[in-house]
Amino acid sequence: MRTKKVYLAVLGLSAVIVLAVVLGSLGSADRGDGGEGAMKPQESGTPGIAKHEDWLLEPAYQVKTHRDLVYVSKANELGKQESLALDLYEPNQEELGARPLILFIHGGGFNSGDKRDAEAIAKEWASRGYVVASANYRLRANPQTDMKGTIADAIEDMGDALSWLQQNKETYRIDTRLTAVGGDSAGGQLAVTFASRYEAAEDGPGLFAVIDMYGPLFRGEIQNGYPSTLIIHGTADAMVPYQESVQLFNMLEAAQVYRQFITMEGGGHSYQDPKVWGQVVQSTVYFLRNAISAPKQIFLPEQTELAVSAGDEAKLTLWRQPAAMDAAGSLRAELPEGWELAGQTGYSAGADTDVAITVPEDTASGLYPILMWAEQNSGKAEWPLTLYVKVKERLSYERTVYYNSDERQIYTRLAIENKHPRPLQGRVVLRYQNADGTQDEVFELETLQPGGNKEVNLPFYSEDPPTINYENPSGARLQETPLRTHVYAAEKREEPLTIDGSLEDWHLDNPFPLNRESQVLMQEYGGASDLSGQGYVSWDEDYVYLALEMKDDHHVQQESGFGIYLGDSVQFSLKLDEKTGAPQGVHELGAALREGGSASTFRWLAPQPFKPGDIPAMKAGINRSGEQTIYEIALPWSELGVTAPSEGLQLKFSLLVNDNDGQGRKGWMEYNSGIGYKDERAFGDLFLVNKRN
């Protein structure tokens, strides 16, 4: 990150996870009972837990991957035979025995997506002891014209995949009696639908779980005995409304299904978003383990996640299982140091029981795993219940970068709000990188009352995202908040650029990075030679210019128009500030070099009066030499509704470079986020500045 004082002249896919569990021994009651001085979140396995107790909880195994296993071949909507394949992820275990199965269905609106999209979550689950199969299914170019047929085909395909896994269970040591079926987005909807229609054969697979990640609202019926369900949804999901998960939760409640609801505050339509990833992994893993151990449990927890402020009590109701009404005994828990079970720990027969856990005031924000045993008077409990405490963040931050017209430079405004139920003292540290290394800007908090605000203005900006830390008066760090958006100052051109796929007439002293691990969102990334590079933005009165120089060991692009994102290509988004008077909304555009050497361009998103489609006015020169690809683009300001670009003009900006090595889209390298998973809040800032002296 470089910190800059710039003087200007002229220029310018929430996450929902529904996790359902069916265990043959679970009954169905009204609630569905069966059917540095600071304490920090635990980062690894809980010390001292025996192997049988942390089974399926901790990432204990390396993962072995089997690619492109064809499970069926059948006719698609065009009448052509299509081979459907799955990728299988298994834990590399020395111990013998069959492992539980998760069959995962990718999202993509029923017209796109790939089995490899799920690799990250599949490896998380497999490293804990599951065998995970991520399967492709038949897609359609225009699924909305026949959604009933589209869904019916996909459900049939998942049945075929499960049959193949059943037939090969000995080869891959799969216990298909404990099978989870899940997916994200469209795949989530398919998972819920599949579970509602599934009828297990006597010797066939038995559903032990359904995982639905932000699938659209299920419009079928939820019957009594439907799998136990965990719903996770982001409050800022712009593609599937949060309320649709509330509706599903109500359907489950009406059918007396064991259910839970976890809210990801500020989460969008992506379970792989770094800000919610830990919560997604923790909640699914812990809920699944409770479900598998349910036949041996006296209680099931009302919630797997307990959200609480440091200094308060985390309160939990344990729901009695119908088969254990006569059990009586006491509770014990394995807790972080300094935490305690509050109040009575004994429980009597026939009733639910309430539990409280005291969380010390000096506990840092984060996720803390908890193991809890309901021991009977007649003997020790074999399996602990698993849950975790989410200690809330004390402070919220809003960073705004803006152009100060008086000083003719870019400033930073930091707004701080106390979300804690008690006054806060200490200091806030803004940590960033510049040419001199790590720098800290420190702001003292004398006393910030609950709900109180503090605003700080800084006469500079940082190109790279800073990290904001809160420290208490003793100096203990109690909250670390990494920001995620970049800021770029694009310099004005004195002469127009020639768009020919060459950077000879560019000034290359102000690149933005496309080479960091944090920018990689792809499976099987092979390092810098696989995909890496840097980019530049410039402008004049007629165009905004974009250039990329990318190292890419394989170039594959067989699409044109809408589908170019499936091959090697660049996508970028721009959104203008409402003060410009330009049409409001996101412009998402892209360009690619086709196999014949011609450039293809496309606009996927646009506010009115602009329309998606080809962009004849956008110039693209793309050149491939050896393993290097040069992208050079000139977009007329008129295509954004800007009539007179000028010094200080601010745009929201994001960019990604797609990678395809011959087996489909692997993923992408991004500068800012919000394109691959649609969320304009993740765009960074682009300012137009005059050429610096």
Side-chain angles (χ1 to χ4, degrees), residues 179-196:
T179 295
V181 180
D184 71 295
S185 196
Q189 186 181 39
L190 290 174
V192 175
T193 304
F194 184 89
S196 71

Side-chain angles (χ1 to χ4, degrees), residues 135-322:
N136 281 341
Y137 52 96
R138 284 173 290 176
L139 305 174
R140 298 196 181 192
N142 298 292
Q144 293 79 10
T145 60
D146 180 16
M147 282 303 301
K148 184 176 180 180
T150 298
I151 291 175
D153 281 355
I155 293 295
E156 181 181 283
D157 296 343
M158 290 305 100
D160 289 336
L162 192 53
S163 294
W164 186 92
L165 290 160
Q166 171 74 2
Q167 294 165 11
N168 291 274
K169 64 181 182 179
E170 301 296 334
T171 301
Y172 298 106
R173 293 169 47 207
I174 303 171
D175 186 352
T176 56
R177 297 170 301 175
L178 293 176
T179 295
V181 180
D184 71 295
S185 196
Q189 186 181 39
L190 290 174
V192 175
T193 304
F194 184 89
S196 71
R197 301 178 184 179
Y198 184 73
E199 296 181 6
E202 183 175 348
D203 297 325
L207 292 190
F208 119 79
V210 176
I211 306 172
D212 172 16
M213 299 188 181
Y214 47 86
L217 180 63
F218 170 63
R219 302 188 183 279
E221 293 185 9
I222 299 291
Q223 302 288 344
N224 187 279
Y226 187 85
S228 304
T229 304
L230 169 66
I231 302 174
I232 306 176
H233 201 138
T235 56
D237 191 329
M239 300 185 73
V240 176
Y242 180 85
Q243 188 61 30
E244 293 195 1
S245 282
V246 176
Q247 291 178 253
L248 177 59
F249 185 84
N250 292 339
M251 293 172 68
L252 295 164
E253 181 178 23
Q256 300 182 3
V257 175
Y258 178 59
R259 65 218 169 265
Q260 296 190 9
F261 197 121
I262 290 179
T263 295
M264 294 186 296
E265 295 293 341
H269 195 71
S270 170
Y271 71 93
Q272 299 192 45
D273 186 332
K275 67 186 177 186
V276 300
W277 176 251
Q279 189 179 18
V280 168
V281 173
Q282 193 92 332
S283 61
T284 55
V285 166
Y286 275 44
F287 187 86
L288 281 166
R289 227 306 286 273
N290 284 336
I292 284 182
S293 67
K296 298 185 178 183
Q297 297 292 358
I298 297 169
F299 300 101
L300 288 177
E302 180 183 12
Q303 284 290 346
T304 301
E305 175 184 285
L306 307 178
V308 65
S309 297
D312 290 344
E313 289 185 348
K315 297 182 179 180
L316 170 68
T317 296
L318 297 177
W319 285 344
R320 174 80 61 161
Q321 294 240 65

Side-chain angles (χ1 to χ4, degrees), residues 360-383:
E361 183 71 45
D362 65 348
T363 304
S365 301
L367 305 179
Y368 294 81
I370 304 293
L371 299 183
M372 185 175 294
W373 290 260
E375 298 185 332
Q376 299 185 60
N377 294 331
S378 58
K380 182 180 178 181
E382 180 180 357
W383 292 84

Side-chain angles (χ1 to χ4, degrees), residues 374-668:
E375 298 185 332
Q376 299 185 60
N377 294 331
S378 58
K380 182 180 178 181
E382 180 180 357
W383 292 84
L385 293 173
T386 57
L387 54 135
Y388 63 95
V389 173
K390 177 185 177 183
V391 178
K392 299 177 183 178
E393 294 189 338
R394 294 162 170 81
L395 296 171
S396 69
Y397 308 104
E398 182 177 355
R399 180 189 62 154
T400 304
V401 287
Y402 63 97
Y403 171 62
N404 186 313
S405 57
D406 293 331
E407 299 294 332
R408 297 167 62 198
Q409 65 183 39
I410 302 171
Y411 275 19
T412 301
R413 179 185 301 114
L414 183 64
I416 306 168
E417 182 178 358
N418 181 6
K419 297 289 188 179
H420 199 60
R422 288 169 288 280
L424 291 176
Q425 296 177 322
R427 65 180 193 166
V428 172
V429 181
L430 179 73
R431 178 160 294 172
Y432 57 92
Q433 298 287 328
N434 66 11
D436 298 322
T438 301
Q439 306 295 321
D440 287 344
E441 290 286 335
V442 180
F443 316 107
E444 298 295 332
L445 291 181
E446 296 182 358
T447 300
L448 190 62
Q449 297 295 330
N453 296 275
K454 179 181 178 66
E455 188 174 288
V456 179
N457 285 283
L458 305 170
F460 63 85
Y461 75 96
S462 54
E463 287 186 342
D464 287 346
T467 295
I468 306 176
N469 298 321
Y470 164 67
E471 299 175 356
N472 68 10
S474 300
R477 184 183 301 168
L478 302 183
Q479 180 178 328
E480 182 174 326
T481 306
L483 303 185
R484 304 192 185 279
T485 58
H486 299 259
V487 181
Y488 188 85
E491 296 183 6
K492 187 179 182 181
R493 295 285 310 176
E494 296 178 353
E495 299 290 338
L497 285 166
T498 300
I499 306 302
D500 57 4
S502 169
L503 303 187
E504 291 182 357
D505 48 355
W506 279 77
H507 303 294
L508 303 179
D509 58 347
N510 185 32
F512 60 81
L514 285 164
N515 54 17
R516 299 175 182 171
E517 184 177 348
S518 61
Q519 297 176 302
V520 177
L521 282 89
M522 71 176 69
Q523 311 309 327
E524 298 182 324
Y525 179 60
S529 62
D530 190 359
L531 186 69
S532 63
Q534 56 191 11
Y536 312 86
V537 182
S538 189
W539 68 284
D540 59 25
E541 286 84 354
D542 299 315
Y543 294 95
V544 56
Y545 299 104
L546 172 67
L548 303 176
E549 44 186 351
M550 302 300 300
K551 185 175 181 59
D552 184 2
D553 55 359
H554 296 92
H555 184 87
V556 178
Q557 180 54 261
Q558 299 176 332
E559 306 287 336
S560 62
F562 180 91
I564 60 174
Y565 74 95
L566 296 172
D568 289 299
S569 57
V570 59
Q571 290 174 258
F572 62 100
S573 286
L574 295 165
K575 182 181 179 183
L576 286 141
D577 188 281
E578 60 184 13
K579 295 191 295 291
T580 63
Q584 292 300 292
V586 174
H587 298 262
E588 183 181 316
L589 313 101
L593 178 66
R594 303 191 67 206
E595 287 188 348
S598 62
S600 179
T601 63
F602 198 79
R603 188 199 316 250
W604 291 275
L605 298 174
Q608 292 293 334
F610 303 101
K611 296 180 180 180
D614 295 333
I615 325 164
M618 187 170 85
K619 302 176 183 179
I622 309 174
N623 179 53
R624 173 97 175 154
S625 177
E627 294 187 350
Q628 185 180 58
T629 305
I630 302 295
Y631 295 87
E632 192 177 21
I633 295 170
L635 177 67
W637 286 110
S638 58
E639 290 292 333
L640 300 174
V642 177
T643 57
S646 61
E647 167 188 54
L649 179 66
Q650 181 177 2
L651 304 91
K652 291 296 182 179
F653 174 58
S654 184
L655 176 144
L656 63 80
V657 181
N658 293 301
D659 192 31
N660 184 326
D661 288 346
Q663 296 183 336
R665 184 193 195 202
K666 291 173 56 177
W668 59 85

